[in-house]
């Protein structure tokens, strides 16, 4: 098998998953989100255990300070499912 065929075979397996990227934007100051953090993390860990969460984490200012924004990558069937699964912390804020 030549390198092009080998690469195509490997990529075919990798590119079959739908991933949705969500960027969350806080409606309140980061300090107001702190009481919700443990519940949010428990929820996100639950998504990960169910195979729905690919990656997630906070975004920060250039100086390293938290700004309340977050980035989440989900493996779900459609965009609506992605939004519904990523919203608990925002609904409580």
């Amino acid at each position: 098998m030549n390198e092009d065929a080998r690469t195509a075979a490997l990529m075919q397996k990798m590119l079959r998953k739908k991933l949705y990227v969500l960027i969350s934007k806080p409606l309140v100051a980061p300090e107001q989100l702190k009481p919700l953090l443990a519940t949010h993390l428990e929820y996100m860990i639950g998504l990960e255990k169910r195979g729905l969460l690919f990656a997630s984490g906070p975004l920060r200012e250039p100086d390293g300070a938290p700004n309340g924004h977050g980035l989440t990558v989900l493996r779900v069937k459609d965009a609506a499912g992605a939004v519904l699964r990523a919203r608990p912390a925002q609904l409580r804020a």
Side-chain angles (χ1 to χ4, degrees):
M1 179 184 296
N2 69 33
E3 285 302 307
D4 288 340
R6 182 174 166 227
T7 300
L10 290 168
M11 289 178 64
Q12 185 179 22
K13 294 176 187 176
M14 294 173 66
L15 299 176
R16 292 181 181 230
K17 296 190 184 264
K18 273 192 176 179
L19 300 174
Y20 291 88
V21 175
L22 301 163
I23 297 176
S24 59
K25 180 179 177 181
L27 300 176
V28 297
E31 304 80 45
Q32 291 178 280
L33 295 173
K34 196 171 185 176
L36 306 172
L37 185 57
T39 300
H40 170 70
L41 293 173
E42 288 169 342
Y43 181 79
M44 298 306 278
I45 290 166
L47 290 178
E48 182 180 21
K49 287 179 179 178
R50 292 173 34 215
L52 300 172
L53 180 64
F54 181 77
S56 188
L59 299 176
R60 299 187 175 271
E61 296 296 333
D63 66 0
N67 62 17
H69 291 74
L71 184 134
T72 299
V73 182
L74 295 171
R75 275 188 223 117
V76 292
K77 291 181 182 182
D78 56 38
V83 171
L84 290 174
R85 285 176 173 79
R87 65 188 178 126
Q90 288 80 4
L91 286 178
R92 291 182 184 91

